[in-house]
Amino acid sequence: VCKLESVPLDFGDYHPLKPITVTESKTKKMSRKGSTSSTSSSSSSSMMDPLSSVLDGTDPLSLFAAAADPVITTDNTRKKRDKDDSSAVGSDFEPWSSKRGEILARYTTTEKLSINLYMGSEKGKATATGSAVSEKVRTRLEELDDLEEGSQKELLNLTQQDYMNRIEELNQSLKDAWSSDQKVKALKIVIQCSKLLSDTTVIQFYPSKFVLITDILDTFGKLVYERILSMCMDNRVSLSDNFSPENVNDTAKETCLNWFFKIASIRELIPRFYVEAAILKCNKFLSKTGISECLPRLTSMIRGIGDPLVAVFARAYLCRVGMEVAPQLKESLNKNFFDFLLTFKQIHGDTVQNQLIVQCVEIPLYLTLYSPAIDWILQCIAYRAPEVLLTEMMERCKKLGNNALLLNSVMSAFRAEFIAARSMDFICMIKECDESGFPKHLLFRSLGLNLALADPPENDRLQILNEAWKVITKLKNPQDYINCAEVWVEYTCRHFKKREVNTVLADIIKHMTPDRAFEDAYPQLQSIIQKVITYIYDFSLLFSVEKFLPFLDMFQKENVRVEVCKCIMESFINALTLEDEKRMLAALINGFIKMVSFGRDFEQQLSFYVEARSMFCNLEPVLVQLIHSVNQLAMETRKVMKGNHSRKTAAFVRACVAFCFITIPSLSSIFTRLNLYLHSGQVALANQCLSQADAFFKAAVSLVPEVPKMISIDGKMRPSDAFLLEFLCNFFSTLLVVPDHPEQGVLFLVRGLLNVIQDYTWEDNSDDKVRIYTNVLHLLSAMTQETYIYHVDKVDSNDTLYGGDSKFLAEINKLCETVIAQILDHLKTLGKEETLKRQSQLALYLFNTILAHGDLRNNKLNQLSVNLWNLAQKHGFADTKTMVKTLEYIRRRSKQPEMSHFADLALRLPLQSRT
């Protein structure tokens, strides 16, 4: 039953077992730099050993390298040739690298593994300079023989992780050997690793073994190609990507041929096939038609591999390499698949069945081992293939009995649109499959995955669902059931309404509730919830689905339940207000921005912030976060570059400052702008950017008149006076250390701010203006000190600039008199009965300010303080306890050195009792 059918070959009369035709080139060569004097060629159809001429003293590698045309094609029947402009696969082709992790995770084992390596002896191979050619060739042949006949190294009882670690060590050994110019040792490693692919003793691990070993082959192929490519450098000019063999120098061609002949001498079929396939791309150095000629030959070589599993993965590797180097050569891809179909009956033969019995592996599990290889072959075939070819592939699969494995691979590899359009045909084929071979529910799952990506004909949709669910609902194993149901829930939600969705959810609850099976299926159940809320976006409609809440009850693990509820809430964010949605999105984005760090690459960090600003310019909280982040970046730069104030550093800080100055005006919240102007000005000042700091402070002063009387806080309108008072107090604290601009006059910022405060329209029943003026007195008093109570590092404040100059102090005194006059005028307006309490409080507030900051040795100021004390108590609104404590404080101060005038003051401050 396993006998192969004979098929005609489509590339001449070539057959791997027929006598080899060898082209022999005889060349007389004066020297490496000399020219060839004469060349003759002859062909023989007798069975020849390409290394048989060793004993005659001739080296076939040197002969071929010296030939004018290294590759002479004698077969004129091959009509298909490579095109110079071979097109590479596009981004729509799923690469092998994306499948690698999935295969390693899926095909695992707990059985012990072994590695048998014959790494060869380490005896010296060096020959003396000037030795005969025959001696060199013998040495080379000994090395090649030693590849397979060296010392044996066997590693037994390895766990899967140990095995993977050993293979990785071999991969590293290959790289180390190559980098240390031990090319023969590198080839030994690759050959011995390739031999491992003939071992199927732990068959369920074979797909993962294939992935690990082919990683080593890929490394080897890349190393060889790059080595030869580097030899093509001529006068420091490298080859372009689309080079032709004519551009390759003789040295590179000789090296390339050397590698191919070394590989040709490998005795065993599997390592010889894999190693040659690994360097398939190197044919580009020898001939334009080299790849197109090698692919059919390598395809035919695979026919000599008896194990069908080993053979199909060999075909997958050849297809992978072929797609990388010559994706336009579809004939080889198709041939590999058709050859596989011819050998498909071997799967059910005695040899395979006996092997499965020994390893206690069931046929359904065994068949799944083929999936990665067949899926890949079909993916390569289906890539940008016409509908006619796909239909032909489908028809060929139909002709095979028990074709569930192939059918599953077809549905995995072909375009979803192709599958969806023929959904009923595939359902009929699934029905005809033998359940004992490949489980039907896996076939329906593959079909469902396609229908989640593409829509079937509208008239077939209900019948498709019914046919699929008939099979799904009969599954007894909860894990098989939920894996399949998860896929078809999306199809149901996508094409049907509440009633059908409710039916499906009810069936899932019925299957997953017994024995608490849902506890082992939380990921799938979460996926189902996500699919349901994706398609049913009406909140009221969702909760009208009768079985939705009972479905949620299956999430009984606390952290999983929280995640599911969070997922539901996030999906219905559209039910919230627009502002709430923006706030939530901004919070997520800000969290991401805070996590991004480029270390000490400050310029890259700033570039990231600039790009983020352009992307999220409509989200104000994000802009605020970006301004804070840039200010922090400027301060961090200052800290790191401390003592190294280069022009580059200064320019970078100015760039940060400019970012903030440009961004702040785009914000809508006026107090956010005010506070950011203040904060950014402080950062500029700390970085000695004085003119930039002045610009921020001027912008803040000019913005104060725009502060509205009422502002929205958490959706409620509230007076803005308290917020303005808080901001101005912070501003005054900063203005103490801001040096005057030499062209703007004394205290130009303070004067400008006082003018703004004076012109601002305050509420009639508000005393905030007086409180602000009182805080100005605190600032002016601090400015008269010989040394200010705090400074900014490396910034000279006015105490240093003016040095206590009498004219500067006189200007401050004038400002103080003006401010006090404004306060006293306001106190007079509070003489009405309904405002006497406010008058009392403000009088005491100003008294305490004079007490703390004024020079009470001044008679006018001393008398003013007494008047304020009396005014605070005049109408009986002063708090007696407060007045008593204040008077006690004055008496204590009078006992301090140079404070005797406080004693006189205390005698002039009577306490009035309430009677």
Side-chain angles (χ1 to χ4, degrees), residues 242-257:
N242 296 322
F243 67 88
S244 63
E246 291 78 11
N247 305 126
V248 180
N249 58 43
D250 291 343
T251 303
K253 288 183 178 180
E254 180 180 357
T255 303
C256 186
L257 280 169

mmCIF file with all atom_site columns, all heavy atoms in Angstrom, residues 242-257:
data_model
loop_
_atom_site.group_PDB
_atom_site.id
_atom_site.type_symbol
_atom_site.label_atom_id
_atom_site.label_alt_id
_atom_site.label_comp_id
_atom_site.label_asym_id
_atom_site.label_entity_id
_atom_site.label_seq_id
_atom_site.pdbx_PDB_ins_code
_atom_site.Cartn_x
_atom_site.Cartn_y
_atom_site.Cartn_z
_atom_site.occupancy
_atom_site.B_iso_or_equiv
_atom_site.pdbx_formal_charge
_atom_site.auth_seq_id
_atom_site.auth_comp_id
_atom_site.auth_asym_id
_atom_site.auth_atom_id
_atom_site.pdbx_PDB_model_num
ATOM 1   N N   . ASN A 1 242 ? 21.762 43.098 -6.248  1.00 0.00 ? 242 ASN A N   1
ATOM 2   C CA  . ASN A 1 242 ? 21.385 42.344 -7.459  1.00 0.00 ? 242 ASN A CA  1
ATOM 3   C C   . ASN A 1 242 ? 22.605 42.100 -8.351  1.00 0.00 ? 242 ASN A C   1
ATOM 4   O O   . ASN A 1 242 ? 22.575 42.356 -9.552  1.00 0.00 ? 242 ASN A O   1
ATOM 5   C CB  . ASN A 1 242 ? 20.309 43.105 -8.239  1.00 0.00 ? 242 ASN A CB  1
ATOM 6   C CG  . ASN A 1 242 ? 19.018 43.243 -7.457  1.00 0.00 ? 242 ASN A CG  1
ATOM 7   O OD1 . ASN A 1 242 ? 18.615 42.321 -6.760  1.00 0.00 ? 242 ASN A OD1 1
ATOM 8   N ND2 . ASN A 1 242 ? 18.385 44.403 -7.563  1.00 0.00 ? 242 ASN A ND2 1
ATOM 9   N N   . PHE A 1 243 ? 23.685 41.618 -7.746  1.00 0.00 ? 243 PHE A N   1
ATOM 10  C CA  . PHE A 1 243 ? 24.895 41.397 -8.527  1.00 0.00 ? 243 PHE A CA  1
ATOM 11  C C   . PHE A 1 243 ? 24.723 40.169 -9.435  1.00 0.00 ? 243 PHE A C   1
ATOM 12  O O   . PHE A 1 243 ? 23.852 39.317 -9.214  1.00 0.00 ? 243 PHE A O   1
ATOM 13  C CB  . PHE A 1 243 ? 26.096 41.213 -7.602  1.00 0.00 ? 243 PHE A CB  1
ATOM 14  C CG  . PHE A 1 243 ? 26.048 39.957 -6.773  1.00 0.00 ? 243 PHE A CG  1
ATOM 15  C CD1 . PHE A 1 243 ? 26.555 38.745 -7.246  1.00 0.00 ? 243 PHE A CD1 1
ATOM 16  C CD2 . PHE A 1 243 ? 25.497 39.979 -5.492  1.00 0.00 ? 243 PHE A CD2 1
ATOM 17  C CE1 . PHE A 1 243 ? 26.515 37.593 -6.481  1.00 0.00 ? 243 PHE A CE1 1
ATOM 18  C CE2 . PHE A 1 243 ? 25.451 38.833 -4.715  1.00 0.00 ? 243 PHE A CE2 1
ATOM 19  C CZ  . PHE A 1 243 ? 25.959 37.636 -5.208  1.00 0.00 ? 243 PHE A CZ  1
ATOM 20  N N   . SER A 1 244 ? 25.559 40.077 -10.425 1.00 0.00 ? 244 SER A N   1
ATOM 21  C CA  . SER A 1 244 ? 25.571 38.921 -11.325 1.00 0.00 ? 244 SER A CA  1
ATOM 22  C C   . SER A 1 244 ? 26.885 38.170 -11.134 1.00 0.00 ? 244 SER A C   1
ATOM 23  O O   . SER A 1 244 ? 27.867 38.734 -10.626 1.00 0.00 ? 244 SER A O   1
ATOM 24  C CB  . SER A 1 244 ? 25.439 39.370 -12.781 1.00 0.00 ? 244 SER A CB  1
ATOM 25  O OG  . SER A 1 244 ? 26.550 40.171 -13.158 1.00 0.00 ? 244 SER A OG  1
ATOM 26  N N   . PRO A 1 245 ? 26.930 36.871 -11.498 1.00 0.00 ? 245 PRO A N   1
ATOM 27  C CA  . PRO A 1 245 ? 28.171 36.091 -11.313 1.00 0.00 ? 245 PRO A CA  1
ATOM 28  C C   . PRO A 1 245 ? 29.378 36.718 -11.993 1.00 0.00 ? 245 PRO A C   1
ATOM 29  O O   . PRO A 1 245 ? 30.508 36.497 -11.558 1.00 0.00 ? 245 PRO A O   1
ATOM 30  C CB  . PRO A 1 245 ? 27.818 34.731 -11.926 1.00 0.00 ? 245 PRO A CB  1
ATOM 31  C CG  . PRO A 1 245 ? 26.327 34.650 -11.837 1.00 0.00 ? 245 PRO A CG  1
ATOM 32  C CD  . PRO A 1 245 ? 25.827 36.050 -12.029 1.00 0.00 ? 245 PRO A CD  1
ATOM 33  N N   . GLU A 1 246 ? 29.154 37.499 -13.066 1.00 0.00 ? 246 GLU A N   1
ATOM 34  C CA  . GLU A 1 246 ? 30.276 38.127 -13.752 1.00 0.00 ? 246 GLU A CA  1
ATOM 35  C C   . GLU A 1 246 ? 31.010 39.130 -12.870 1.00 0.00 ? 246 GLU A C   1
ATOM 36  O O   . GLU A 1 246 ? 32.187 39.432 -13.093 1.00 0.00 ? 246 GLU A O   1
ATOM 37  C CB  . GLU A 1 246 ? 29.801 38.833 -15.030 1.00 0.00 ? 246 GLU A CB  1
ATOM 38  C CG  . GLU A 1 246 ? 29.346 37.881 -16.132 1.00 0.00 ? 246 GLU A CG  1
ATOM 39  C CD  . GLU A 1 246 ? 27.949 37.330 -15.886 1.00 0.00 ? 246 GLU A CD  1
ATOM 40  O OE1 . GLU A 1 246 ? 27.264 37.853 -14.974 1.00 0.00 ? 246 GLU A OE1 1
ATOM 41  O OE2 . GLU A 1 246 ? 27.541 36.387 -16.595 1.00 0.00 ? 246 GLU A OE2 1
ATOM 42  N N   . ASN A 1 247 ? 30.311 39.639 -11.842 1.00 0.00 ? 247 ASN A N   1
ATOM 43  C CA  . ASN A 1 247 ? 30.932 40.612 -10.940 1.00 0.00 ? 247 ASN A CA  1
ATOM 44  C C   . ASN A 1 247 ? 31.739 39.955 -9.827  1.00 0.00 ? 247 ASN A C   1
ATOM 45  O O   . ASN A 1 247 ? 32.390 40.653 -9.046  1.00 0.00 ? 247 ASN A O   1
ATOM 46  C CB  . ASN A 1 247 ? 29.859 41.496 -10.307 1.00 0.00 ? 247 ASN A CB  1
ATOM 47  C CG  . ASN A 1 247 ? 28.988 42.177 -11.339 1.00 0.00 ? 247 ASN A CG  1
ATOM 48  O OD1 . ASN A 1 247 ? 27.769 42.079 -11.307 1.00 0.00 ? 247 ASN A OD1 1
ATOM 49  N ND2 . ASN A 1 247 ? 29.626 42.875 -12.284 1.00 0.00 ? 247 ASN A ND2 1
ATOM 50  N N   . VAL A 1 248 ? 31.698 38.610 -9.742  1.00 0.00 ? 248 VAL A N   1
ATOM 51  C CA  . VAL A 1 248 ? 32.370 37.892 -8.661  1.00 0.00 ? 248 VAL A CA  1
ATOM 52  C C   . VAL A 1 248 ? 33.768 37.511 -9.109  1.00 0.00 ? 248 VAL A C   1
ATOM 53  O O   . VAL A 1 248 ? 33.958 36.947 -10.190 1.00 0.00 ? 248 VAL A O   1
ATOM 54  C CB  . VAL A 1 248 ? 31.569 36.631 -8.272  1.00 0.00 ? 248 VAL A CB  1
ATOM 55  C CG1 . VAL A 1 248 ? 32.265 35.897 -7.144  1.00 0.00 ? 248 VAL A CG1 1
ATOM 56  C CG2 . VAL A 1 248 ? 30.151 37.012 -7.877  1.00 0.00 ? 248 VAL A CG2 1
ATOM 57  N N   . ASN A 1 249 ? 34.755 37.795 -8.285  1.00 0.00 ? 249 ASN A N   1
ATOM 58  C CA  . ASN A 1 249 ? 36.140 37.488 -8.661  1.00 0.00 ? 249 ASN A CA  1
ATOM 59  C C   . ASN A 1 249 ? 36.446 36.003 -8.508  1.00 0.00 ? 249 ASN A C   1
ATOM 60  O O   . ASN A 1 249 ? 35.672 35.250 -7.908  1.00 0.00 ? 249 ASN A O   1
ATOM 61  C CB  . ASN A 1 249 ? 37.125 38.335 -7.841  1.00 0.00 ? 249 ASN A CB  1
ATOM 62  C CG  . ASN A 1 249 ? 36.968 38.137 -6.340  1.00 0.00 ? 249 ASN A CG  1
ATOM 63  O OD1 . ASN A 1 249 ? 36.806 37.014 -5.876  1.00 0.00 ? 249 ASN A OD1 1
ATOM 64  N ND2 . ASN A 1 249 ? 37.009 39.231 -5.597  1.00 0.00 ? 249 ASN A ND2 1
ATOM 65  N N   . ASP A 1 250 ? 37.573 35.595 -9.060  1.00 0.00 ? 250 ASP A N   1
ATOM 66  C CA  . ASP A 1 250 ? 37.926 34.174 -9.083  1.00 0.00 ? 250 ASP A CA  1
ATOM 67  C C   . ASP A 1 250 ? 38.134 33.602 -7.683  1.00 0.00 ? 250 ASP A C   1
ATOM 68  O O   . ASP A 1 250 ? 37.779 32.457 -7.402  1.00 0.00 ? 250 ASP A O   1
ATOM 69  C CB  . ASP A 1 250 ? 39.215 33.969 -9.907  1.00 0.00 ? 250 ASP A CB  1
ATOM 70  C CG  . ASP A 1 250 ? 38.994 34.215 -11.381 1.00 0.00 ? 250 ASP A CG  1
ATOM 71  O OD1 . ASP A 1 250 ? 37.811 34.225 -11.796 1.00 0.00 ? 250 ASP A OD1 1
ATOM 72  O OD2 . ASP A 1 250 ? 39.980 34.400 -12.114 1.00 0.00 ? 250 ASP A OD2 1
ATOM 73  N N   . THR A 1 251 ? 38.692 34.399 -6.798  1.00 0.00 ? 251 THR A N   1
ATOM 74  C CA  . THR A 1 251 ? 38.936 33.905 -5.439  1.00 0.00 ? 251 THR A CA  1
ATOM 75  C C   . THR A 1 251 ? 37.642 33.540 -4.740  1.00 0.00 ? 251 THR A C   1
ATOM 76  O O   . THR A 1 251 ? 37.523 32.492 -4.094  1.00 0.00 ? 251 THR A O   1
ATOM 77  C CB  . THR A 1 251 ? 39.686 34.976 -4.621  1.00 0.00 ? 251 THR A CB  1
ATOM 78  O OG1 . THR A 1 251 ? 40.901 35.318 -5.294  1.00 0.00 ? 251 THR A OG1 1
ATOM 79  C CG2 . THR A 1 251 ? 39.998 34.457 -3.222  1.00 0.00 ? 251 THR A CG2 1
ATOM 80  N N   . ALA A 1 252 ? 36.640 34.403 -4.877  1.00 0.00 ? 252 ALA A N   1
ATOM 81  C CA  . ALA A 1 252 ? 35.351 34.139 -4.249  1.00 0.00 ? 252 ALA A CA  1
ATOM 82  C C   . ALA A 1 252 ? 34.684 32.921 -4.860  1.00 0.00 ? 252 ALA A C   1
ATOM 83  O O   . ALA A 1 252 ? 34.102 32.090 -4.156  1.00 0.00 ? 252 ALA A O   1
ATOM 84  C CB  . ALA A 1 252 ? 34.440 35.362 -4.370  1.00 0.00 ? 252 ALA A CB  1
ATOM 85  N N   . LYS A 1 253 ? 34.776 32.790 -6.197  1.00 0.00 ? 253 LYS A N   1
ATOM 86  C CA  . LYS A 1 253 ? 34.174 31.627 -6.853  1.00 0.00 ? 253 LYS A CA  1
ATOM 87  C C   . LYS A 1 253 ? 34.858 30.336 -6.430  1.00 0.00 ? 253 LYS A C   1
ATOM 88  O O   . LYS A 1 253 ? 34.207 29.308 -6.208  1.00 0.00 ? 253 LYS A O   1
ATOM 89  C CB  . LYS A 1 253 ? 34.262 31.798 -8.369  1.00 0.00 ? 253 LYS A CB  1
ATOM 90  C CG  . LYS A 1 253 ? 33.323 32.844 -8.943  1.00 0.00 ? 253 LYS A CG  1
ATOM 91  C CD  . LYS A 1 253 ? 33.426 32.907 -10.455 1.00 0.00 ? 253 LYS A CD  1
ATOM 92  C CE  . LYS A 1 253 ? 32.443 33.923 -11.030 1.00 0.00 ? 253 LYS A CE  1
ATOM 93  N NZ  . LYS A 1 253 ? 32.519 34.025 -12.503 1.00 0.00 ? 253 LYS A NZ  1
ATOM 94  N N   . GLU A 1 254 ? 36.199 30.376 -6.313  1.00 0.00 ? 254 GLU A N   1
ATOM 95  C CA  . GLU A 1 254 ? 36.922 29.183 -5.907  1.00 0.00 ? 254 GLU A CA  1
ATOM 96  C C   . GLU A 1 254 ? 36.511 28.762 -4.495  1.00 0.00 ? 254 GLU A C   1
ATOM 97  O O   . GLU A 1 254 ? 36.288 27.577 -4.219  1.00 0.00 ? 254 GLU A O   1
ATOM 98  C CB  . GLU A 1 254 ? 38.422 29.470 -5.949  1.00 0.00 ? 254 GLU A CB  1
ATOM 99  C CG  . GLU A 1 254 ? 39.270 28.282 -5.528  1.00 0.00 ? 254 GLU A CG  1
ATOM 100 C CD  . GLU A 1 254 ? 40.748 28.589 -5.584  1.00 0.00 ? 254 GLU A CD  1
ATOM 101 O OE1 . GLU A 1 254 ? 41.098 29.719 -6.007  1.00 0.00 ? 254 GLU A OE1 1
ATOM 102 O OE2 . GLU A 1 254 ? 41.543 27.721 -5.206  1.00 0.00 ? 254 GLU A OE2 1
ATOM 103 N N   . THR A 1 255 ? 36.378 29.752 -3.613  1.00 0.00 ? 255 THR A N   1
ATOM 104 C CA  . THR A 1 255 ? 35.957 29.444 -2.240  1.00 0.00 ? 255 THR A CA  1
ATOM 105 C C   . THR A 1 255 ? 34.554 28.874 -2.217  1.00 0.00 ? 255 THR A C   1
ATOM 106 O O   . THR A 1 255 ? 34.263 27.914 -1.492  1.00 0.00 ? 255 THR A O   1
ATOM 107 C CB  . THR A 1 255 ? 36.020 30.720 -1.381  1.00 0.00 ? 255 THR A CB  1
ATOM 108 O OG1 . THR A 1 255 ? 37.348 31.246 -1.421  1.00 0.00 ? 255 THR A OG1 1
ATOM 109 C CG2 . THR A 1 255 ? 35.624 30.420 0.058   1.00 0.00 ? 255 THR A CG2 1
ATOM 110 N N   . CYS A 1 256 ? 33.684 29.445 -3.038  1.00 0.00 ? 256 CYS A N   1
ATOM 111 C CA  . CYS A 1 256 ? 32.300 28.968 -3.085  1.00 0.00 ? 256 CYS A CA  1
ATOM 112 C C   . CYS A 1 256 ? 32.239 27.524 -3.575  1.00 0.00 ? 256 CYS A C   1
ATOM 113 O O   . CYS A 1 256 ? 31.545 26.676 -2.988  1.00 0.00 ? 256 CYS A O   1
ATOM 114 C CB  . CYS A 1 256 ? 31.480 29.885 -3.993  1.00 0.00 ? 256 CYS A CB  1
ATOM 115 S SG  . CYS A 1 256 ? 29.711 29.511 -4.014  1.00 0.00 ? 256 CYS A SG  1
ATOM 116 N N   . LEU A 1 257 ? 32.958 27.237 -4.651  1.00 0.00 ? 257 LEU A N   1
ATOM 117 C CA  . LEU A 1 257 ? 32.994 25.870 -5.177  1.00 0.00 ? 257 LEU A CA  1
ATOM 118 C C   . LEU A 1 257 ? 33.574 24.910 -4.137  1.00 0.00 ? 257 LEU A C   1
ATOM 119 O O   . LEU A 1 257 ? 33.125 23.765 -4.005  1.00 0.00 ? 257 LEU A O   1
ATOM 120 C CB  . LEU A 1 257 ? 33.838 25.823 -6.452  1.00 0.00 ? 257 LEU A CB  1
ATOM 121 C CG  . LEU A 1 257 ? 33.134 26.289 -7.728  1.00 0.00 ? 257 LEU A CG  1
ATOM 122 C CD1 . LEU A 1 257 ? 34.138 26.446 -8.849  1.00 0.00 ? 257 LEU A CD1 1
ATOM 123 C CD2 . LEU A 1 257 ? 32.055 25.290 -8.117  1.00 0.00 ? 257 LEU A CD2 1
#
